């Protein structure tokens, strides 16, 4: 009995931020096997991180677009780093980096679907890195979705405000940057074997 308790107690718990790994030869201890009292505090903190990161990314994107529309749109581009980086306001009907301009409504639906998926994943979220990654995705998706819904030419067909223009690259915005950073982080976490619930798969 003492040996069984030692094996089960080895992995980190959601409350202390540890990663759960299965001991060699021992059965997996799933999140569902833990009591609600054990799981609730850890998940609550991770969800708070997710929404804090999302709120920060969304606010930064929203404020930047408001400034660009008010101060930069219909004006000459502003050089930031010589010819290598400019702020150049454009309206983008497509996806990130100007892709797919003829499918505005489709990209609007995709952005809404991504947000729904993130909310569903949050129900089993115990990993801090995953909380940051999903927060970046959520904030970026909400930022561009806001443009799709509220900007011209109409609801669900609105054009996204882009303004960051590196030399030889497509023009993008801070929401695009948040989405890309979140996506890259998710890929890295997946390669590492870390799941949203904090479980680590060791090969």
């Amino acid at each position: 009995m003492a040996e069984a308790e030692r094996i089960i107690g080895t992995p980190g718990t959601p409350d202390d931020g540890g990663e759960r790994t299965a001991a060699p030869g021992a059965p997996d201890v799933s999140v569902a096997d833990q009591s609600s009292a054990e799981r609730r505090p850890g998940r609550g903190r991770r969800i708070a991180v997710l929404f804090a990161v999302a709120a920060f990314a969304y606010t930064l994107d929203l404020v930047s677009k408001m400034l660009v529309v008010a101060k930069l749109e219909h004006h000459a581009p502003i050089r930031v780093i010589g010819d290598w980086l400019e702020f150049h306001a454009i309206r983008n009907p497509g996806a990130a980096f100007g892709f797919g301009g003829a499918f505005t409504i489709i990209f609007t639906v995709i952005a809404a679907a991504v947000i729904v998926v993130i909310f569903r994943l949050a129900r089993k979220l115990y990993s801090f890195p995953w909380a940051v990654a999903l927060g970046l995705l959520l904030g970026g998706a909400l930022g561009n979705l806001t443009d799709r819904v509220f900007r011209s030419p109409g609801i669900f067909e609105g054009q996204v405000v882009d303004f960051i223009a590196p030399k030889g690259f497509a023009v993008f915005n801070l929401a695009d940057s948040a989405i890309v950073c979140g996506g890259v982080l998710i890929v890295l976490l997946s390669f590492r074997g870390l799941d949203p619930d904090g479980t680590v798969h060791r090969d």
Side-chain angles (χ1 to χ4, degrees), residues 102-192:
F103 304 99
T104 304
I105 295 181
I106 294 176
F107 290 126
T108 302
V109 173
I110 292 174
V114 168
I115 293 170
V116 172
V117 170
I118 292 173
F119 274 98
R120 290 178 63 87
L121 283 175
R123 296 185 301 178
K124 59 176 182 178
L125 183 63
Y126 293 94
S127 167
F128 178 83
W130 269 95
V132 173
L134 293 177
L136 289 170
L137 281 179
L138 179 59
L142 285 172
N144 283 339
L145 184 61
T146 299
D147 283 359
R148 304 281 187 207
V149 174
F150 295 106
R151 295 195 187 276
S152 61
I155 296 177
F156 303 126
E157 297 181 348
Q159 298 180 347
V160 174
V161 176
D162 289 337
F163 63 95
I164 303 173
K167 183 179 180 180
F169 195 70
V171 185
F172 59 98
N173 57 43
L174 295 181
D176 297 333
S177 300
I179 291 171
V180 170
C181 290
V184 169
L185 182 54
I186 286 176
V187 171
L188 294 176
L189 293 173
S190 298
F191 273 117
R192 188 185 172 210

Side-chain angles (χ1 to χ4, degrees), residues 42-53 122-125 131:
R43 186 176 66 176
R45 285 196 293 269
R46 302 309 183 269
I47 291 177
V49 170
L50 188 159
F51 286 113
V53 172
R123 296 185 301 178
K124 59 176 182 178
L125 183 63

Side-chain angles (χ1 to χ4, degrees), residues 18-43:
E19 297 171 343
R20 293 188 298 280
T21 56
D28 291 339
V29 181
S30 66
V31 176
D33 293 333
Q34 302 175 16
S35 67
S36 298
E38 289 176 325
R39 292 185 291 154
R40 190 178 300 113
R43 186 176 66 176

